[in-house]
Amino acid sequence: MEALILEETKKLRLGEFAIEEALGPRDVRITIKTVGICGSDIHYYEMGRIGPFVVEAPMILGHEASGVVTEVGGEVSTLKVGDRVCMEPGIPDPNSRASRLGLYNLDPKVRFWATPPVHGILRPSVVHPADFTFKIPESVTFAEAAMVEPLAVGMQAAKKARIEPGDLAVVMGAGPIGMVTALAALAGGCSHVILTDTQQPKLDLGASLGPVTPVNVAKESLVEIVSAMTGGWGADVVFECSGSAPALAGVFAPLRPGGCAVLVGMPGSPITYDVVGAQIKEARVEHVFRYAHVFPRALALMGSGSIDVKPLVTDTFEFADSIAAFEYAAHLPPTSVKAQITLP
Amino acid sequence: MEALILEETKKLRLGEFAIEEALGPRDVRITIKTVGICGSDIHYYEMGRIGPFVVEAPMILGHEASGVVTEVGGEVSTLKVGDRVCMEPGIPDPNSRASRLGLYNLDPKVRFWATPPVHGILRPSVVHPADFTFKIPESVTFAEAAMVEPLAVGMQAAKKARIEPGDLAVVMGAGPIGMVTALAALAGGCSHVILTDTQQPKLDLGASLGPVTPVNVAKESLVEIVSAMTGGWGADVVFECSGSAPALAGVFAPLRPGGCAVLVGMPGSPITYDVVGAQIKEARVEHVFRYAHVFPRALALMGSGSIDVKPLVTDTFEFADSIAAFEYAAHLPPTSVKAQITLP
Amino acid sequence: MEALILEETKKLRLGEFAIEEALGPRDVRITIKTVGICGSDIHYYEMGRIGPFVVEAPMILGHEASGVVTEVGGEVSTLKVGDRVCMEPGIPDPNSRASRLGLYNLDPKVRFWATPPVHGILRPSVVHPADFTFKIPESVTFAEAAMVEPLAVGMQAAKKARIEPGDLAVVMGAGPIGMVTALAALAGGCSHVILTDTQQPKLDLGASLGPVTPVNVAKESLVEIVSAMTGGWGADVVFECSGSAPALAGVFAPLRPGGCAVLVGMPGSPITYDVVGAQIKEARVEHVFRYAHVFPRALALMGSGSIDVKPLVTDTFEFADSIAAFEYAAHLPPTSVKAQITLP
Amino acid sequence: MEALILEETKKLRLGEFAIEEALGPRDVRITIKTVGICGSDIHYYEMGRIGPFVVEAPMILGHEASGVVTEVGGEVSTLKVGDRVCMEPGIPDPNSRASRLGLYNLDPKVRFWATPPVHGILRPSVVHPADFTFKIPESVTFAEAAMVEPLAVGMQAAKKARIEPGDLAVVMGAGPIGMVTALAALAGGCSHVILTDTQQPKLDLGASLGPVTPVNVAKESLVEIVSAMTGGWGADVVFECSGSAPALAGVFAPLRPGGCAVLVGMPGSPITYDVVGAQIKEARVEHVFRYAHVFPRALALMGSGSIDVKPLVTDTFEFADSIAAFEYAAHLPPTSVKAQITLP
C-alpha cells in the first residue's frame, strides 16, 4: 500500500510499502480518512529518535487518526462496517500488571503507532483492536475526530486534576497541548482558564476558545494577575503544558493553598523544583503520560458541543502533499495549531 | 421594618416587625433586592414545621436572596459599600468540630435563615457575616443571584459525585433541585444528562437547558434508555433529586459498574434500598445536606456563562404582593420552576 | 481424580470425578493443600442455588484454597515449581470493559470456583492462571493462606473505606466476614474497632484479636457506647458485615458527620434505609462485591505480622472426612469461625 | 516565671521571664511536664532565623509539649482540671479562608510556638485553646505525649499518601521525622517499610521499630533492593524525609507505576526534579507542611498500641539542665533520635 515512510532522519518518502495485516477475531479493519501531524512525528523526522526510541528501519509515521470501519472480526459486537471511528494509537498487554490495575497507559509493553519499531497510520488502512476503536458521534467530522488523540492528553490532565466545579485554572503554554488542555479544563468543570505564553498569536487564538484570559508572560506577571483575580488566594489548578524550565520553576507561585499542579509538558532535562514553595501550600502534583479511558469521554463532550476543536485545525493537506505538510509542520507559524493530512 | 411574617401555620402577614441588628466588625449590612421562594418556605407556611424545627413564634420567611452592601464592619476587607452580593443563609460556629474539618454545613449549631427560631430575609435589610456574603459578577442579575442558593445544592451534588470529564449522568426528578443539579452536572464536566420526571412540562423545560434527554418515566423505561445509550454499560452518575420512594428503589438499576449515586432528594420516610443491586456494581453513594464552599464556585460558573439559571426564574412578584406570591408558589403549575419576590 | 462433589441439593459425594485440565502458557498446575469451607459452599449444599446461580449438574465444591505449584506454563515468569501459593477463585475476561478499568471483580463474565457451572477445588489439583496465583511468605502456613480468600473481602472493605490513620471503626456482625474485616480495618490504619453481635462467644473471640471493644447489641446500645467513646462525635467508619435488616437500618446512627459506611453483608431482600439520617451527616456509602487486587496485599500484611488469622481457623478436617466437615460447618457452633479441610 | 530564653543567636538563658496570660472562655491553662527539642529549636539557637522568621527579641523556645490542665475557661466542655494533655503548637485564625476549608495548617496567620515573635513553652505553664489541646490515653506517658508533635508530621505524611492496606513504602532518611513517618506508615496500613540513610546506627534503630528493612544507601542500591522485593514493580509510596538533594533527585526511581511520593523533608534550596521520570509512572506527589487534624489520631494509635514511640526518646534532661540539653541536641550522636526536657 502507499504510505508516508520515514526512511531515515530527515528523509521522508511517499510511496509503496509492503505491510500485511491479518484481522484477528477482536479486530477491525479501518480505512484512514484524516491524520494529524504531532510534534513527536516531527521529532522523529528531524532527530530520528525520542529518548530510548530510535528509528532503525523505515517506519510509517502518524498516530492521530480517524477513519471508517471496513471489516470486523468474528467476536466484535461494538462496531460494524461503515462506522465512522477514531483510534487509540497505543495497544497494551491486557494481562500486564499495570493493565490489570486499569493503568494501561503505564504498561511498558504498550505498542504505540509511529514509535519504533511500530508503524504509524499515514497509509490507506490499518487493522486495530475493536476495544481501542471508538465510534464518532454524527455531528463530529473526521478532522475533529483526528483531534481526539491530542485532546485525550488534555482530558487525562483534566481528569488527574480532579477539578471541582467552578475551579479557576492556569494553563501554562499555548501550544497544541496547552490549547486542548484549556478546552478539557473548561469542559471538565473549570469556570475560567488563564492561558500563558510568550507568543501573542497563540494567546489570541486561545482567548477565542471560551472564558480564557490570555497572559503574555513576556510582558505581564502571571502571579500578579492571578492574585488580583482571586483576592490573593491563587488558582485551584495549574496545568503546566510548556515543558519549559522557567515555567516549571514557577508552577507553585500562582497556586492556592491545597491546590493541584498537573505536569503535562515534557522538559528536555531534569528541572529545578521549588519543594518548599509546594510544601507551604501542600500542593498536590500530578503527572500525565498519554491517557487511559478518555477517548469515549472526549467524543461524548465533542458530541454534546461542550468541546469544539475546530478552531485548532488550522491547516489541511492532501495525502499526496504529505511531505510538504511535514515541512510546513516542522516550521509551524505561531498562528497555526494543528496541521492535518486527509486521505482519499 | 416591613417584613413577610409567618404568624402561625397558614397565616402570613406583610407588615411592620421590630428587628434590631448590630453590625459586628466582620459583618456587612445588605439591602435585599430579590428573594426566591423555596419549598421549605412553603412547607413552614402550610405545616408550621419541618421535622424537629417548629415555628413557635412569628418568623420572617425567605432564605434565597441577593442585595447590595450598604455598610461594612471594621475588619471587613473583601467587600465594600455598593457591592452587589448574594448570601449563604447558614452561619456555622467556626470553632465546631465539623467546621474545623471544613464540613461547616454539618455543624449542628448552624443558624439558618427562616429555620426556627432564626428569621429569614423577606425584609428590607439584613446584617450578615462578610465571610458568607459573595460579590456577584457584573453580568449576573439580582434575579439570577437569588438562584445561587438553590443552585448551590446542585453544585454540592456535582462536587460530591466527583464527576470525571465526559461522564453521563441521570438526574431523577425535574423539580427546581433536579433542574439546578442538571445545570451543575453539565457545568461540572458531564457530557450529557438524562432527566426523568412524570410531568411532561417540567421535562420540556429541562430539555431546553443543554444536552439533556428527557425521559417521562410514566411512559418510558429509564433503564432501557440508558442501556441503549451506553451499549448496556450504564450511567456514570445518578443524581436522585425527587425524594420519591420508587425512584430511590431503582437508583442503582441504570448505574454502571463502579458508578456513583448521589442522594439529594429527601424522602418523607425511610425507603427501600437495593443493597445487593448496589453491591454487584460496587456503587458509591453520596448524600447531600445543603452545601459548603460552593457559592463562589456557582457565581464563577454563572459569570463565565457555563451556567444559565435565567430559564428557571419563571415567575416574579413585587414585595407588596408577597402573600399572593406564596399562595401561587404553594400551587405552582408544572410549567413553573421558581417564583421570586423583588424588593423596592 | 477424587473430589468432593455436590451431586444435587443436600447430597454430597466424595469420590472419583473425571476432569481434564490442559495447561496454557500463562497457567500453573497446583496441588491443593488446604481448603476452607465458606458459607456459600454450605448454601449451595443446602439450597442448590444462590440467586441466579443454580446447581444443575454435579459440581465440585470449595474456593478458599492454598497449595503448591507442580507445573508452570511456558510464559510464566513469576512462579516456579515448588512455590507455596494461594489462588484467587475468580477469573475475569481481561478484555471486558470492567477489567480494562481495573474493576475486574465487576466483570459479569467472571468465572468463579464452585459457582455453577464452574467447578471448585476440593480435589487434588487444579490448573489456574499464574496472574491469579500468589506466592505465600515463608512464615505463612497453608491453613492461613487458605484464609486469604475470605480475608480478601475484609481487605476490599478496608480499601473502599479509605481509612485515615487513627480512624475508629464499627464492625457490625462477628461472623467470619466481620472478623476478617476487623483484622483488615486494624491493619489498614484504624486505631480501634467496636465489634457488634448478639452471640457472646463470637464477641469474646473477636475481642481477643486486638484493640477491639465487643458490644452485644442484644444487651447494650451501640449508639450510646460510640457516643461515650467519641464525645458525641461518632465513628469514622461503619462496616456492615451482618446483612441483617435491623443492623442496616441503624448503620448511620453511630457514624460521625462526613463518615463512611461500607456495606459488606448481603441481606436476603431489599432493606429499609435512612436517607435523611445519611444526609444530615453527608455519609459516604461504599459497597463491596468480592475483591480485586488485594490478595498480594493480604499476604504482605500476614507476612509482616500485621494480620494474624490463626485464631479464626477453629476446626480442621481431613479430606477423607469432607462430608462430615460440611455437616459440621452447616451447623457451626458460635465458638467456631472457620472450618478447613486438609488434603494429603 | 522561669523559662528557657533564646536571648540572641547562640545565647540561651534559663531564668525569670515576665509573661502574663489571661484565660479566655475557650482556653485552658496547662502545667508543662515534658518538652522535646526539635531541629527547628536548634536552628533558631544556632542561626537566629529560619527563612523569613527572624529572632529579633528574646524568645522562649520549645513547642513539643505535654502537661496537665490546671484551669479551664467557662465555655470549655471537653477538658477538666487534672486532665493529662498534649498540645498542638500552631493556632490558626478559624475564620481564614484556609481554615474554613479545613486546611488550617495552611493559614498564613497561624501563630506557632517558638516561631518569632511567638513564645514557646519551655516554662512552667501556658494558656492554650481547648480546641488544640488533647487528652492523653492513660497508657501514654508524658514523654510519649511530647512526641505527638513530631509524630504528627509523619501522620500527616501517611494521611496524604492515602495508603491502601498492604502498601510497601520507602522512607528516605532515618532522622526523627523519618522514624515517625515509618511508624505512621506502618500503623496507617503499610505492610513493610524500607528505610534509607547513610548512618548505620540510625538504620539499626529504625530496623527495630517493626517490619522495617534498613538500606544504607552509602553501600547499597535502593532501586535494586526495591526491584528485587517487588519483582521489578516498585514501591507503592516513597516518603522523602531527608530533604537531601540526591534523595530528592531519585525519588521516582523506586516508585511503582501509579505510585505516590510524599515530600516531607525541606531542602535548603530548590532541587533537581525528574519530571519525565515522574510522568512515565504518572506519579502523584504530595507535600507536607506541619499537620492538621491528626493529633487525636496519633494519640488513638498510641493508646491502642499500634504506634510505640518509646524507642525514639533516647535522651532525657531536667529543666535545670536545659542549656546543656540544647548543647547536646545540637550535636546529637547518630545513636540518638530525640532529646527531651522534663519539668518539675
Side-chain angles (χ1 to χ4, degrees), chain C:
Chain C
M1 59 177 71
E2 193 166 27
L4 183 72
I5 306 131
L6 179 60
E7 295 281 348
E8 57 188 71
T9 305
K10 297 197 183 167
K11 185 169 166 196
L12 289 169
R13 179 172 71 85
L14 183 66
E16 273 303 305
F17 195 82
I19 186 162
E20 286 281 317
E21 292 181 313
L23 188 85
R26 300 179 64 91
D27 292 334
V28 292
R29 193 179 305 272
I30 302 149
T31 292
I32 304 294
K33 295 305 252 181
T34 302
V35 178
I37 302 177
C38 172
S40 71
D41 294 309
I42 298 296
H43 207 279
Y44 281 120
Y45 166 45
E46 295 193 317
M47 304 295 181
R49 68 182 296 162
I50 294 180
F53 296 100
V54 181
V55 179
E56 292 175 334
M59 178 180 82
I60 302 175
L61 288 174
H63 64 266
E64 305 177 353
S66 57
V68 175
V69 173
T70 58
E71 192 180 357
V72 301
E75 294 176 14
V76 174
S77 61
T78 55
L79 293 168
K80 62 181 193 304
V81 171
D83 278 349
R84 301 163 66 246
V85 294
C86 65
M87 294 81 82
E88 233 178 291
I91 311 170
D93 172 0
N95 293 302
S96 74
R97 188 159 176 181
S99 294
R100 277 209 303 281
L101 283 165
L103 310 169
Y104 65 76
N105 54 323
L106 307 183
D107 176 12
K109 291 190 196 154
V110 164
R111 291 174 53 83
F112 200 92
W113 283 343
T115 299
V118 183
H119 286 298
I121 40 63
L122 272 162
R123 47 171 155 145
S125 79
V126 71
V127 167
H128 204 64
D131 286 343
F132 294 89
T133 305
F134 302 93
K135 197 173 171 182
I136 304 172
E138 267 183 50
S139 60
V140 173
T141 64
F142 287 122
E144 290 169 83
M147 284 298 292
V148 169
E149 201 279 340
L151 173 58
V153 176
M155 291 286 295
Q156 183 82 349
K159 179 177 73 174
K160 288 269 176 181
R162 289 182 245 144
I163 295 166
E164 284 195 11
D167 270 356
L168 173 70
V170 169
V171 175
M172 294 176 157
I177 294 300
M179 296 289 193
V180 294
T181 300
L183 288 174
L186 290 169
C190 287
S191 60
H192 202 96
V193 162
I194 298 169
L195 180 67
T196 73
D197 208 296
T198 56
Q199 297 192 44
Q200 196 59 42
K202 290 181 190 295
L203 290 169
D204 293 344
L205 194 154
S208 74
L209 296 177
V212 174
T213 298
V215 174
N216 189 328
V217 286
K219 302 178 189 168
E220 301 170 288
S221 161
L222 172 64
V223 171
E224 283 173 20
I225 288 168
V226 170
S227 183
M229 286 177 69
T230 61
W233 177 243
D236 299 290
V237 185
V238 174
F239 294 99
E240 206 303 300
C241 300
S242 74
S244 89
L248 280 154
V251 83
F252 302 116
L255 198 66
R256 73 161 170 91
C260 175
V262 185
L263 306 190
V264 188
M266 299 185 97
S269 53
I271 52 96
T272 294
Y273 183 93
D274 182 9
V275 176
V276 176
Q279 285 173 330
I280 58 175
K281 291 176 177 174
E282 284 198 339
R284 174 169 56 92
V285 179
E286 300 279 355
H287 298 84
V288 165
F289 186 68
R290 294 173 179 161
Y291 37 74
H293 309 295
V294 298
F295 263 58
R297 294 172 170 278
L299 286 165
L301 288 166
M302 287 163 73
S304 71
S306 299
I307 289 183
D308 180 6
V309 293
K310 285 192 294 289
L312 305 184
V313 181
T314 47
D315 304 277
T316 306
F317 295 82
E318 299 200 357
F319 186 45
D321 303 325
S322 286
I323 294 176
F326 266 72
E327 271 309 304
Y328 178 85
H331 308 92
L332 206 65
T335 47
S336 283
V337 179
K338 175 61 67 182
Q340 288 184 334
I341 294 170
T342 56
L343 285 93

Side-chain angles (χ1 to χ4, degrees), chain A residues 155 158-159 163-167 184 186-192 211 236 256 296-298 300-301 304 306, chain B residues 155 158-159 163-167 184 186-192 211 236 256 296-298 300-301 304 306:
Chain A
M155 291 287 295
K159 180 177 72 174
I163 294 165
E164 285 196 11
D167 270 357
L186 290 169
C190 286
S191 59
H192 202 97
D236 299 291
R256 74 160 169 91
R297 295 172 169 280
L301 289 165
S304 71
S306 300
Chain B
M155 292 286 295
K159 180 178 72 174
I163 295 165
E164 285 195 12
D167 270 357
L186 290 169
C190 287
S191 59
H192 202 95
D236 299 292
R256 74 162 169 89
R297 295 172 170 277
L301 288 166
S304 70
S306 299

Side-chain angles (χ1 to χ4, degrees), chain B residues 108-235:
Chain B
K109 290 190 196 154
V110 165
R111 291 174 55 82
F112 200 93
W113 282 343
T115 298
V118 183
H119 285 298
I121 41 61
L122 272 162
R123 47 171 156 144
S125 78
V126 71
V127 166
H128 204 64
D131 287 342
F132 294 89
T133 305
F134 303 93
K135 197 173 171 183
I136 303 172
E138 268 182 49
S139 60
V140 173
T141 64
F142 287 123
E144 290 168 84
M147 284 298 292
V148 169
E149 201 279 339
L151 173 58
V153 177
M155 292 286 295
Q156 183 80 352
K159 180 178 72 174
K160 287 269 177 183
R162 288 182 244 143
I163 295 165
E164 285 195 12
D167 270 357
L168 173 71
V170 169
V171 175
M172 293 177 156
I177 294 300
M179 296 289 193
V180 293
T181 300
L183 288 173
L186 290 169
C190 287
S191 59
H192 202 95
V193 162
I194 298 169
L195 180 67
T196 74
D197 209 295
T198 56
Q199 297 192 44
Q200 196 59 43
K202 290 181 190 294
L203 290 169
D204 293 344
L205 194 154
S208 74
L209 297 176
V212 174
T213 298
V215 174
N216 189 327
V217 287
K219 303 177 189 168
E220 301 171 288
S221 161
L222 172 64
V223 170
E224 282 173 21
I225 289 168
V226 170
S227 183
M229 287 177 68
T230 62
W233 177 244

Side-chain angles (χ1 to χ4, degrees), chain D residues 67 78 107 110 138 147 179 239 243 245 251 262 266 271-272 292 310:
Chain D
T78 53
D107 175 12
V110 165
E138 267 183 50
M147 284 298 292
M179 295 289 193
F239 294 99
V251 83
V262 185
M266 300 184 95
I271 52 96
T272 294
K310 285 192 294 288

